[in-house]
Structure formats: C-alpha cells, structure tokens
Amino acid sequence: MFQYSPQSSSVHSEPNMLDFDMNLFAATHNSEGFDFAVRPPSPVNHFPLLAGQTSIQESHVMYFFEHVRKTNFRLTGNTLTNVTYSLIVQDPRGAVTNAVCALSSLHFTRMRVAQGLEPPDSNPEHSTAQYFHDEAFFQLASGKQTKGCHDESDVLAALYLICYSQMSGQTADWQPLLTIAIDWIAQTGLTTDENPKLTLLNMSASRQLVVKLTMWIEIFSSFTAARPAKYMQLYKRLLGDEATFWDRMQGSSSDMELSGLHMESLTGCPDEVMLCFAEVSHLAQWKMMEQRKGSLSYRELIRRADEIEQRLKSRKSQAMSREDIPLHPNLLHTTTGDSNPLASPSEEVMRLVGNIFRETAILYLHTTVNDMQPAVPEIGAGVKNVVQLLQQLAPSEIDRVLIFPICLSGCMTDDSTQRDVLKARLQAQDESIGNLLRTRLLMEAVWQKRDIRGGAIDWRETLRERCPHLLLI
C-alpha cells in the first residue's frame, strides 16, 4: 500500500491512491447480492461543497456525518454534530476535518473487515486512516506554535482523535491528546474564576461542549491511570452544590436552563455522580499515598468514604425528559432512512442509566475502601445492584455508554452467572468497533488470575499490563 507522509499543516494535493476507495464502495453497494449495512455517502451535490477541501476529504466528511457521528459520544445527539459541522465549515482543511476523516476511514475499513469483505490491515500504520490521524495531530502541534495557544476547535479535534484510539482498539496513546484538552480548560480561565458555573453558562455552545466532554474523559481516565483528576476543585464547583440532577427533574425548564449544560445529557452520568467518581479517584490516590508513608488512618478513610456514599444515596432518581436540538439544515439528508436508538432515549432508559452509574460509583467506592475483594458484602451487593439494573435494559447500543459499569462489575464478581450476564452484554454488540473486545478480554484476564490465585486482583494493574491505552468510556 502506498505510504503517505503528513504534510506541514493541511492536505495540499489529493493523493493518487487511497484505501478508502469510493468507487469500490459505490460499486459494491450496487451489487444485488451484497448485504452490507453501511450505505455509501450521498452524492456530492447533496452536501454543501466546502471551499478548498479535496474531494477525498469531502467524501470522508460526508461518510462521517452519515455513519460515524453516531458511534462517538453517543448521547450528545445533534449538539455535537452541529458544532462539528460549524467548525469544519470554518476551517475545511483543519484539524477537526482530518480527525473526522481519520474516524471515517477507520470505521469504513473496520466495517468491511467485520463483514468479511476484506482481511484485517496488516500495516495499519500505513493506512489512510493513520495518515489523516497523523495529519490532524501534526496540525494540533504546529497550530499551538503558530497561534500561541489552542482553541476549542483544536480541543474537539483532540477529543475525536481520542475516539480514534477507542475505535482502533486502544493501540494509540491518547494521553497527549487529553493533555491538550486539559491545558485548554486552564486557558479558558475557569480554574481561577470566582464563578466558573456562570462563566461556563455564558460560553458559546462549542466551548461549553468541549469543556464538559473534557471533564468526562479526564475523570474517567483517572480510574485506569491511577491518578486523581487534575482540576478537582473546579469540578466540585461545576458539578456540585446548588440543584442536583434529580432536583432538576422536578424543576421548571427555566431552572434547568439556568444550571447550564449537564453531564447526563452528554454521557448518561448525572453531575453529582460524575463528581463522586472524581472524588473516589482522589480518595484512592490519598489512600495509596498514606499507605506508602505508613500513616493510613482507617478511621479517616471510612469517614471520607461515608461522606461520599451518603451524598450518592441521598437522591432518588426521577425520569429524565430529554429532547434533542434540531439538526443543522445542511445535514438533514444524512438521516434519511436511518434510525438512531440513542438519539432520543426514553425517560425510563435515562433513569436506569443514571441509576446504573450511581450504583457503579458506590461499588467503585467500596473497592477503594475494601480493596478488590469480591467476597466483601458491600462489593457483592454493589455488583448485584448493577446487574439487576442492567437486566432492566434490553441489550442495545446503550450498553456502549455503560462500558465502565459493566467492566467494574465484571471484574468484581466471582459468581459465574453474573460473569456470563456481563460478558454477554459486551458480546451482544459488534466487538469489531470500539473497546468492547478489549474490555471483555480484561474482565476474562482478571477472572483467570483470581480463579488461579484467589484473593484480591487489582483490575487496574491487569489493564496496565495487557492494554495500557484502554479507556473505559
């Protein structure tokens, strides 16, 4: 396969040969005997031509909006789609464009491999997807030198490249990309603002969105990276205090608007639960440091844990009403003949998802206090609660939103029935896309270790041994 080298800052000429062959794509689709779920991108005249964009970029961008946008940040609906489209229009050859092109090429190839239409790529480092990835990464690095700092467009591109790492099976290191996003949050002034919640509310839709997505990924990355969230005090001010998720469900729409953009609308995990996840990671780090010094006070550990648990249990979830914003008019054709089960989840589904995250936070807390011991009553009860809630949800794409609850519960049970239930939730989805396969293999590796050795097995250590770039989002 022809190998491409990233160019200085953008694609200046159209490559002569690409593995994303649109002619092959269309021809294959037109074959009567071909039953391939992915539809070819719409004709160019159905999509506004972006000045200066190569035709191969345009084809990939169209494919992204028609097929790939639903596979990343699944609960964001049209909000993220519209923001992405606006940023691509602003800079048709920019980092966001190349990042979504990378996702499109990778998705297309993965789908063909899953359908048995072509063998796995033996040289993924030379693929078109990797070319677009490297080009976007180069633009992010050179853009900071040129502009002096990153902007929300750069951050969104970095977040999409983290999604690329997810889709590629976690073979790419996402930490430098997350660093770009975390550093940008400090650049916004939120970390030193006297009223960061009001400042966030007054930000543009794109800035609000990338702030929240960065917070989510940073907090969830702390589980596997064995480090506390960097901006703990900021997260307390943004995610805590004032009206909670369950209070807002009983409030007026104006009350909800005053509270700004909420994590549950992006991730399914309510603000207060997201904050508790961050606090448990911080507690785990504190416990480890105290143990190293030989000064761990179990009385203080339990006091801190009880405080977190009481806040988690003090609220009863209510059904969540969720309405998506209209899709940008120029993208309406991308939804033709397509149904996205995650576009407008029912109130009951969102209530269950919120409760699953809440019970997972409690389970995560007990594994921090009691170590990774499935025989501890509180840990066993936590796994049981998560499994029971999961069984109230029919297996669907929503399970991809619940990767961490499924993984943690799976790693923390010795019960063969519970193991089978949790394993089946992952296997019910297409494991060729995203991190499902590696998550299942992680669970199975933990089970194997515990079945052989017994005792506490730290799933985070197993993760770092076998798949150090796995991110459970």
Side-chain angles (χ1 to χ4, degrees):
M1 181 173 293
F2 189 80
Q3 180 177 354
Y4 305 104
S5 299
Q7 298 167 22
S8 59
S9 61
S10 62
V11 180
H12 295 293
S13 60
E14 187 170 336
N16 295 323
M17 181 179 179
L18 288 170
D19 65 353
F20 189 99
D21 189 335
M22 298 307 303
N23 293 326
L24 171 63
F25 191 11
T28 310
H29 170 65
N30 290 333
S31 173
E32 293 181 359
F34 179 51
D35 184 19
F36 189 40
V38 178
R39 297 295 182 264
S42 303
V44 171
N45 60 356
H46 287 178
F47 195 85
L49 183 64
L50 300 177
Q53 205 170 65
T54 67
S55 62
I56 196 67
Q57 283 178 314
E58 189 174 358
S59 296
H60 282 71
V61 168
M62 286 190 295
Y63 183 90
F64 173 84
F65 285 115
E66 291 177 339
H67 304 294
V68 186
R69 67 183 178 92
K70 308 177 192 70
T71 67
N72 304 292
F73 308 122
R74 286 173 170 77
L75 292 177
T76 56
N78 294 335
T79 302
L80 177 59
T81 300
N82 291 347
V83 167
T84 301
Y85 177 73
S86 297
L87 293 176
I88 289 176
V89 169
Q90 290 176 24
D91 190 357
R93 291 191 176 190
V96 173
T97 296
N98 284 312
V100 303
C101 286
L103 282 166
S104 293
S105 181
L106 181 62
H107 182 274
F108 177 73
T109 301
R110 285 300 177 95
M111 292 300 291
R112 288 183 60 80
V113 171
Q115 293 287 331
L117 298 173
E118 64 180 66
D121 191 347
S122 59
N123 294 294
E125 66 275 10
H126 297 158
S127 66
T128 304
Q130 190 64 41
Y131 161 76
F132 280 125
H133 171 280
D134 293 348
E135 179 70 8
F137 194 93
F138 186 88
Q139 287 174 307
L140 292 178
S142 60
K144 183 176 182 180
Q145 295 176 353
T146 303
K147 296 179 292 187
C149 60
H150 289 296
D151 55 25
E152 62 263 33
S153 178
D154 293 332
V155 177
L156 185 59
L159 296 178
Y160 274 133
L161 291 182
I162 292 175
C163 292
Y164 179 93
S165 170
Q166 291 280 103
M167 191 182 293
S168 67
Q170 301 298 326
T171 57
D173 184 6
W174 45 263
Q175 301 255 18
L177 298 163
L178 182 57
T179 297
I180 290 174
I182 292 174
D183 290 348
W184 175 80
I185 285 187
Q187 180 187 309
T188 65
L190 284 172
T191 56
T192 56
D193 200 296
E194 292 184 1
N195 192 342
K197 189 170 286 188
L198 179 61
T199 300
L200 179 63
L201 180 62
N202 290 329
M203 286 182 175
S204 65
S206 60
R207 287 170 73 87
Q208 284 190 38
L209 186 64
V210 296
V211 167
K212 287 282 188 173
L213 290 175
T214 299
M215 289 169 58
W216 169 43
I217 295 177
E218 209 252 320
I219 289 171
F220 272 54
S221 71
S222 69
F223 307 157
T224 55
R227 55 161 177 74
K230 185 173 182 178
Y231 299 130
M232 193 66 216
Q233 293 306 312
L234 173 63
Y235 299 160
K236 285 182 178 180
R237 299 180 70 184
L238 289 178
L239 300 174
D241 305 323
E242 300 180 9
T244 67
F245 164 67
W246 290 288
D247 289 334
R248 290 194 299 273
M249 294 306 95
Q250 300 174 343
S252 66
S253 59
S254 60
D255 290 336
M256 294 175 69
E257 289 170 3
L258 288 173
S259 299
L261 189 64
H262 306 299
M263 300 302 288
E264 63 269 15
S265 67
L266 302 178
T267 68
C269 182
D271 286 5
E272 311 84 87
V273 178
M274 186 71 70
L275 176 59
C276 287
F277 274 130
E279 290 179 323
V280 175
S281 289
H282 190 273
L283 181 65
Q285 184 71 12
W286 174 83
K287 177 185 176 183
M288 182 183 69
M289 296 299 293
E290 292 298 307
Q291 284 178 321
R292 287 178 178 176
K293 294 187 295 184
S295 57
L296 176 62
S297 167
Y298 283 95
R299 182 187 294 270
E300 177 63 13
L301 174 65
I302 293 172
R303 185 194 69 77
R304 295 187 182 198
D306 283 345
E307 182 181 327
I308 296 172
E309 185 171 10
Q310 287 305 311
R311 280 190 281 111
L312 280 167
K313 290 184 174 180
S314 64
R315 302 290 172 180
K316 298 296 182 181
S317 63
Q318 303 294 326
M320 179 181 179
S321 177
R322 183 178 186 273
E323 294 183 4
D324 204 1
I325 66 171
L327 190 65
H328 192 287
N330 288 345
L331 299 175
L332 291 177
H333 75 280
T334 65
T335 62
T336 303
D338 178 56
S339 61
N340 178 14
L342 299 187
S344 299
S346 68
E347 294 182 358
E348 178 63 13
V349 167
M350 292 306 297
R351 182 186 67 80
L352 285 169
V353 169
N355 276 337
I356 289 170
F357 276 114
R358 179 169 60 87
E359 292 297 332
T360 302
I362 294 172
L363 173 60
Y364 181 41
L365 176 64
H366 286 305
T367 64
T368 298
V369 174
N370 301 293
D371 297 326
M372 313 294 178
Q373 297 277 10
V376 172
E378 291 84 358
I379 292 178
V383 172
K384 182 180 179 180
N385 290 339
V386 173
V387 171
Q388 288 178 340
L389 287 168
L390 275 171
Q391 290 180 314
Q392 295 178 44
L393 285 172
S396 71
E397 284 288 307
I398 203 77
D399 289 342
R400 293 181 182 272
V401 177
L402 299 169
I403 288 294
F404 181 63
I406 293 172
C407 181
L408 182 63
S409 300
C411 290
M412 287 297 106
T413 183
D414 285 337
D415 183 280
S416 60
T417 300
Q418 291 177 337
R419 287 181 176 183
D420 289 342
V421 168
L422 294 163
K423 179 179 176 179
R425 298 297 293 218
L426 300 179
Q427 290 179 312
Q429 306 306 314
D430 182 357
E431 291 186 316
S432 66
I433 299 293
N435 57 3
L436 298 184
L437 176 59
R438 285 176 177 263
T439 300
R440 176 170 62 83
L441 294 177
L442 168 64
M443 290 162 51
E444 292 174 346
V446 171
W447 297 339
Q448 184 181 42
K449 282 185 176 182
R450 191 181 296 119
D451 291 346
I452 294 174
R453 291 192 245 160
I457 300 296
D458 191 331
W459 62 271
R460 296 167 302 182
E461 291 182 2
T462 304
L463 181 148
R464 287 190 287 272
E465 291 169 3
R466 295 182 174 247
C467 38
H469 301 314
L470 181 61
L471 187 58
L472 297 171
I473 60 172

